[in-house]
Amino acid sequence: MIRFKLNGKDVESKMLPGARLIDSIREEFGQIGTKEGCSEGECGACAVLIDGELVNSCLVALGSIEGQEIVTIEGYRETDRFKVLDKAYMKAGGVQCGICTPGMILATEALLAKNPHPSREEVKVGLAGNLCRCTGYNMIVDAVLQAAEEGDGLW
Amino acid sequence: MHISRIQAPVKKKDHDEKFGAHALFVDDLQDKVYLYAKAVRSPVPHGKIKSIEFPELPEGCYKVTMDDVPQNGVVVIQADQPVFAGDVVRYIGECICLIVAPTQRMADELAAEVKLDIEELEPDLELRKGNEIAHEYRYETGDVERAFAEAVDIFEETFETGYQEQAYIEPQGMIAEWEDGIMTVKGSLQCPYYVQTSIKHAFKLDDQHVRIIQMATGGGFGGKEDYPSVIGCQVAAAAYAIGKPVKMIYRRQEDMEVTTKRHPSKSTYRTALDKDGNILAMDIDVMFNGGAYPGLSSVVLQRGLICATSVYTIPAVRALGTINLTNTVPNGAYRGFGAPQTTFAMEQHMAHLAKHVGQDVLDFRLKYVAKQGDHTSTGGKHSTKIVMPELIDRVLKKSDYRNKVEQFKNQTGRYRRGIGFAMFSHGCGFTGSAERDLLKSVAHLYKHADNRVEVRVANTDIGQGIKTTLCKIVADTLDIPLERVFCNNPDTFIVPDSGPTVASRSLMIVGRLIQRAAIRMKEEWEDGVEKLYEEHFIEEPTTIAWDITKFFGDAYPTYSWGVYALETIVDTVTAKTELVKLWGAYDIGTPGDETIAMGQMMGGLTQGLAYGSIEDMVAVDGKIKQNAFNSYNIPTSSDICDFDLEFVNNPYEWGPYGAKGAGELPLNGGAPVYTQSIENALGADVMKIPCTVEEVMELL
Ligand code: FES
Ligand code: FES
């Protein structure tokens, strides 16, 4: 039995310690906002926050997160910071098909938490672990810069 | 620029469900107990199947073979490929049968234990003259024979382009259920009625017994135009045989190895020149590698061949195009649909011709840019307004191209700057008379009793924002708030066949049907009354009717146009290239929503730049080598530069609110503007894309 915190709630997984965190999140706890794009740590669609750090959940063995705090999009979407990102992405046109979006949102959070006022270049580097095939990124970068401005003080 | 009401950006209809991750993609469905399917695939490029030996299958696990399909053929255009390979396998990865189990893991493990006895046959692996030809088209306008006889100079070049993988971030996947004589298939797909046609054929069912529902779709780019018919038939076979719901979701590796890609090509351009270096005629030979089965290749080739002279008016043209069959993965639709290959070749050839005759690479090209009234490559007529001079002007100004191109010639240091300039176009809608003769689209607009209005079309929102742009047209026409108009993911039991989501046609063609329905609805509007409005395709006027047998006439009702300039820096020690900035201008008629349209431009442009530079995929001994994102590099946010893009408004009379096709156009110019910038930086000719670090190394 592996215990951890998922979006603020204490949970217990019945999966084996070797099972992937993404499978526990999606299948055991039904939180399907975490997406699987490549299964090998390359695309960031499965990104979640583990104790505030952005991590690709397809590469994480359940056994390694005992006692840690996991935040997925389902938890993050309840926050005020999310609301700021929501508005900024909407205005900038940062969402097309939406499959990369949950991971991109959490990557944005991880970036702004460390660097509340990033430069354009820093945003590009900060999001480089999350692939988006639809947008060509510039509108996402705009969204992050806008959010940093409008959410001043939140991060 | 003045922005009309229709252009003004709005919150996208699917924004909340996508941003909050409420939208359900096919793998997210947890509403039932599903079985999971895994394909058993051919390990050889060509061979005779002598026997299949299955492992002991535990209770609740199944095999699904060709015997479970009443008619073993997937209809893409024709039923020219099997659902499950019969006696012969024709490419590595061809599906032979399925193993179905209660968990994906069990299915994977059991599938790996299936023993195949295959007698290998001689494979044909390389694209070359002498491959088996699946399709061949040719056309000729003007007197090519005479031009070549009179030429004082003949200049010939051959260009090559590689595979390109659509690389949608959500891999392919579908589920099927066979219940009460009805086959329901849900999945990640662009064209519900294509999947329906295929399943009807394979299982001998009719419209009333095959139901296709699109789930939220994580990108398509053409990759989910044809291939879902293949998975659809396979997973349906499992449901049909077992009688329980079955899920089949590809992992990335499988997706990259076996699904359709952009056709690799080889094109030879031979040009006849007079004594002053003017073009008299071109003789063009285009070969596309179709892979093992023809599928959609014929129509991809048609577009590629028609676009073989790109934006230019050439006095006389002879073109021959072939789909060559090889024992490799079948190729199919990818944004641009044959045009990116020939747009690249033609743009390079024109620039090389200029150098060959000692003229400026831009001025030489500008002399041939099509004008309204010019004949098209296939003897049609450019009857709609062409604003290329304005697009060219804007890009020249903002990029400072002319100064830079001179400044960047003959550099010597380690880092060398280059600036490229490329022009491109895209024929809007289906090629030829297919809209009229084959698709015959029907669209519905439904007025609910609560005065909300529903757009019912088969066109899918795969990120390009079609739900929103269609709803905007309706809201504006009816003069009601956008919130009262909605559009759900298509379900073939509810929506009529308004044709596939391809060819940059959804907004221009289906949008117009919806607009006409809305106009009628407005005239008859009565609060509280429920009523369905149906509209059928009416052909837009063309000047010279298309004739496929002669490959002659107006292939498209109109064209979208674009111009790019790109500045790059090449490091001559590492051969790495950095993008500095890209400037562009487009004519897509009147954009249906500025932000959505700009998103299409940026996404398509990024894929085009990557097609020309970093996206390298090859088949080695028939096997796709780059089968993961760490070997097949698609751009990340740190790879791209800033884009300075704009639209020039040029309303198209037959498009809704002046709209023309938009989605594919921006991709076409990406590769040539990249290679042109490399040529400027290094003073060498680029004959092949992708122009990777290795290629640049060769050029140095
Ligand atoms: S699915 Fe985990 S990084 Fe791609
Ligand atoms: S929006 Fe489609 S992958 Fe990013």
Side-chain angles (χ1 to χ4, degrees):
Chain A
M1 205 78 92
I2 294 144
R3 285 170 240 264
F4 56 98
K5 231 186 187 123
L6 180 60
N7 294 322
K9 279 198 203 89
D10 291 313
V11 294
E12 286 180 359
S13 171
K14 292 185 184 62
M15 289 185 160
L16 295 170
R20 305 183 308 165
L21 175 58
I22 188 174
D23 294 331
S24 166
I25 292 172
R26 287 178 56 88
E27 285 159 32
E28 225 179 349
F29 300 110
Q31 310 220 333
I32 49 79
T34 304
K35 307 299 182 188
E36 183 160 359
C38 71
S39 326
E40 56 183 11
E42 293 287 335
C43 75
C46 66
V48 299
L49 298 172
I50 303 185
D51 289 344
E53 294 287 329
L54 189 72
V55 180
N56 289 327
S57 64
C58 70
L59 290 187
V60 174
L62 213 45
S64 72
I65 57 146
E66 176 82 49
Q68 294 186 307
E69 169 140 28
I70 314 295
V71 175
T72 69
I73 189 66
E74 283 85 353
Y76 189 70
R77 71 187 174 205
E78 305 303 328
T79 65
D80 286 342
R81 290 175 176 187
F82 173 85
K83 288 191 192 105
V84 175
L85 296 188
D86 189 3
K87 220 170 120 202
Y89 269 77
M90 193 257 286
K91 269 206 201 142
V95 184
Q96 287 194 28
C97 79
I99 194 78
C100 72
T101 309
M104 209 52 99
I105 294 170
L106 295 173
T108 308
E109 162 61 28
L111 169 69
L112 294 181
K114 286 207 178 80
N115 182 358
H117 296 288
S119 68
R120 198 170 181 86
E121 230 13 74
E122 286 169 335
V123 175
K124 285 187 184 182
V125 173
L127 299 182
N130 291 68
L131 296 177
C132 172
R133 188 57 156 171
C134 297
T135 62
Y137 303 105
N138 269 315
M139 287 175 153
I140 291 177
V141 176
D142 291 343
V144 176
L145 291 171
Q146 252 173 56
E149 202 167 300
E150 276 156 35
D152 194 19
L154 268 182
W155 280 278
Chain B
M1 190 169 96
H2 168 74
I3 303 236
S4 69
R5 195 160 138 201
I6 205 76
Q7 287 166 268
V10 298
K11 177 172 172 175
K12 278 171 74 180
K13 279 286 177 190
D14 56 354
H15 176 84
D16 288 340
E17 63 179 57
K18 295 273 170 76
F19 203 79
H22 302 283
L24 292 177
F25 295 80
V26 60
D27 196 23
D28 299 337
L29 284 172
Q30 297 178 332
D31 53 332
K32 320 197 150 128
V33 177
Y34 290 102
L35 295 173
Y36 294 82
K38 176 71 182 176
V40 175
R41 300 186 180 279
S42 171
V44 301
H46 195 196
K48 231 189 209 125
I49 303 177
K50 314 233 351 221
S51 69
I52 309 173
E53 202 186 302
F54 291 94
E56 179 102 26
L57 293 175
E59 166 95 29
C61 298
Y62 311 83
K63 64 179 162 63
V64 179
T65 69
M66 60 182 278
D67 300 332
D68 296 308
V69 191
Q71 285 192 92
N72 189 17
V74 179
V75 180
V76 176
I77 293 177
Q78 278 157 354
D80 57 22
Q81 58 185 297
V83 178
F84 300 113
D87 305 339
V88 179
V89 283
R90 291 190 168 79
Y91 65 96
I92 293 178
E94 180 163 6
C95 184
I96 295 169
C97 57
L98 303 179
I99 295 293
V100 178
T103 69
Q104 188 68 58
R105 197 198 196 122
M106 274 178 92
D108 292 355
E109 284 170 0
L110 288 166
E113 286 174 39
V114 174
K115 285 203 186 73
L116 300 169
D117 183 6
I118 300 179
E119 178 193 327
E120 285 202 50
L121 300 171
E122 188 63 41
D124 188 357
L125 298 174
E126 300 302 325
L127 174 64
R128 59 181 168 85
K129 293 275 168 201
N131 297 131
E132 185 186 340
I133 301 298
H135 296 279
E136 179 178 301
Y137 299 104
R138 55 178 82 230
Y139 64 82
E140 185 163 339
T141 44
D143 195 340
V144 176
E145 211 56 56
R146 187 158 136 208
F148 273 89
E150 287 174 359
V152 298
D153 188 10
I154 292 171
F155 184 66
E156 177 176 327
E157 294 184 297
T158 298
F159 299 96
E160 282 179 48
T161 66
Y163 282 110
Q164 192 179 17
E165 162 64 35
Q166 296 87 352
Y168 29 69
I169 301 298
E170 178 208 27
Q172 305 255 5
M174 305 197 103
I175 62 175
E177 295 170 51
W178 171 240
E179 224 180 81
D180 304 328
I182 293 178
M183 182 69 75
T184 303
V185 172
K186 301 180 192 173
S188 183
L189 55 95
Q190 290 177 224
C191 311
Y193 276 95
Y194 277 10
V195 180
Q196 195 209 42
T197 300
S198 219
I199 289 177
K200 277 189 330 193
H201 171 88
F203 300 90
K204 299 191 178 170
L205 295 169
D206 61 18
D207 287 342
Q208 280 69 51
H209 295 87
V210 180
R211 178 178 193 178
I212 312 296
I213 300 171
Q214 184 228 1
M215 300 302 297
T217 297
F221 319 114
K224 292 169 184 170
E225 169 176 351
D226 41 359
Y227 201 79
S229 299
V230 176
I231 311 191
C233 285
Q234 290 166 351
V235 73
Y240 190 74
I242 302 163
K244 291 183 183 150
V246 181
K247 222 183 210 189
M248 183 144 121
I249 309 288
Y250 283 9
R251 286 268 173 99
R252 182 60 52 184
Q253 178 181 341
E254 184 175 29
D255 191 300
M256 282 195 165
E257 287 176 349
V258 307
T259 67
T260 48
K261 305 166 200 320
R262 189 184 309 290
H263 297 74
S265 77
K266 224 179 240 184
S267 315
T268 299
Y269 279 66
R270 247 177 99 233
T271 299
L273 297 156
D274 73 8
K275 65 175 190 343
D276 300 317
N278 296 310
I279 298 174
L280 298 173
M282 279 190 185
D283 189 0
I284 303 167
D285 181 306
V286 178
M287 285 194 291
F288 278 8
N289 185 347
Y293 295 105
L296 265 183
S297 290
S298 58
V299 278
V300 177
L301 174 65
Q302 286 172 18
R303 187 179 280 273
L305 202 60
I306 291 161
C307 290
T309 56
S310 190
V311 300
Y312 304 105
T313 301
I314 304 300
V317 181
R318 178 164 60 208
L320 165 70
T322 53
I323 290 297
N324 297 27
L325 295 180
T326 57
N327 293 108
T328 55
V329 59
N331 295 306
Y334 185 170
R335 196 176 199 172
F337 210 72
Q341 290 95 320
T342 49
T343 302
F344 159 74
M346 180 65 177
E347 199 66 358
Q348 291 298 95
H349 185 57
M350 288 296 281
H352 298 171
L353 275 169
K355 293 188 212 171
H356 180 71
V357 300
Q359 294 182 28
D360 178 80
V361 288
L362 178 58
D363 292 329
F364 179 82
R365 280 182 282 168
L366 291 180
K367 289 190 283 189
Y368 296 94
V369 172
K371 296 182 287 299
Q372 187 172 13
D374 280 2
H375 68 81
T376 66
S377 60
T378 53
K381 192 173 162 187
H382 281 296
S383 51
T384 53
K385 189 174 162 201
I386 297 177
V387 296
M388 274 301 260
E390 190 173 347
L391 302 182
I392 292 164
D393 218 48
R394 289 186 184 216
V395 173
L396 283 179
K397 275 210 190 92
K398 61 185 175 181
S399 66
D400 196 20
Y401 171 83
R402 289 204 184 266
N403 282 326
K404 287 179 182 166
V405 79
E406 283 310 313
Q407 205 184 310
F408 298 160
K409 275 179 187 160
N410 311 316
Q411 296 166 81
T412 48
R414 170 170 174 179
Y415 297 97
R416 300 197 195 150
R417 284 188 181 252
I419 188 159
F421 193 91
M423 295 171 274
F424 48 97
S425 63
H426 201 76
C428 302
F430 253 68
T431 298
S433 51
E435 289 283 353
R436 181 192 69 205
D437 299 338
L438 297 175
L439 298 185
K440 302 180 182 128
S441 296
V442 180
H444 287 170
L445 196 60
Y446 193 79
K447 185 171 168 299
H448 288 267
D450 62 4
N451 292 334
R452 288 187 317 143
V453 178
E454 182 183 353
V455 176
R456 289 184 179 170
V457 294
N459 301 88
T460 51
D461 201 319
I462 52 176
Q464 87 285 35
I466 193 67
K467 277 183 183 170
T468 307
T469 42
L470 292 178
C471 288
K472 278 178 85 173
I473 288 170
V474 173
D476 198 77
T477 306
L478 291 172
D479 202 10
I480 61 175
L482 187 56
E483 293 66 43
R484 279 196 12 226
V485 187
F486 66 101
C487 179
N488 293 326
N489 290 343
D491 170 343
T492 58
F493 273 16
I494 297 171
V495 302
D497 186 358
S498 58
T501 304
V502 303
S504 307
R505 67 181 287 280
S506 302
L507 180 60
M508 184 176 100
I509 307 276
V510 182
R512 192 173 77 215
L513 299 183
I514 285 299
Q515 184 187 25
R516 286 211 318 257
I519 291 170
R520 282 205 290 131
M521 185 181 283
K522 185 172 176 144
E523 283 163 5
E524 297 172 13
W525 185 275
E526 239 181 288
D527 277 348
V529 175
E530 223 172 310
K531 191 167 173 187
L532 179 78
Y533 291 80
E534 178 170 299
E535 286 290 335
H536 293 250
F537 177 76
I538 299 175
E539 201 179 18
E540 47 291 85
T542 50
T543 317
I544 299 161
W546 174 253
D547 181 346
I548 183 73
T549 59
K550 299 199 184 89
F551 220 81
F552 185 84
D554 282 318
Y556 304 101
T558 189
Y559 295 77
S560 290
W561 305 85
V563 174
Y564 290 146
L566 170 69
E567 189 173 332
T568 52
I569 302 175
V570 185
D571 179 340
T572 56
V573 173
T574 62
K576 281 198 180 125
T577 303
E578 184 196 326
L579 309 181
V580 178
K581 184 154 183 177
L582 187 138
W583 300 265
Y586 307 97
D587 160 20
I588 57 165
T590 303
D593 178 293
E594 279 277 330
T595 304
I596 290 175
M598 199 47 90
Q600 286 299 292
M601 298 304 110
M602 293 193 170
L605 162 58
T606 303
Q607 292 181 10
L609 289 170
Y611 177 49
S613 57
I614 58 172
E615 291 190 12
D616 191 19
M617 179 176 269
V618 292
V620 177
D621 300 327
K623 187 170 167 53
I624 293 290
K625 196 173 147 204
Q626 293 80 1
N627 58 11
F629 284 138
N630 60 17
S631 48
Y632 185 74
N633 296 309
I634 69 169
T636 71
S637 51
S638 60
D639 294 326
I640 48 120
C641 62
D642 286 351
F643 300 153
D644 175 353
L645 308 174
E646 66 188 307
F647 295 115
V648 169
N649 200 1
N650 179 24
Y652 173 51
E653 197 190 329
W654 285 79
Y657 290 84
K660 295 197 282 196
E664 293 168 283
L665 172 77
L667 199 149
N668 293 349
V673 80
Y674 182 79
T675 50
Q676 280 301 302
S677 79
I678 299 289
E679 293 200 353
N680 180 226
L682 302 181
D685 289 351
V686 178
M687 309 301 290
K688 192 176 162 189
I689 48 169
C691 186
T692 56
V693 171
E694 291 74 28
E695 290 293 320
V696 172
M697 218 34 128
E698 299 261 304
L699 294 175
L700 284 165

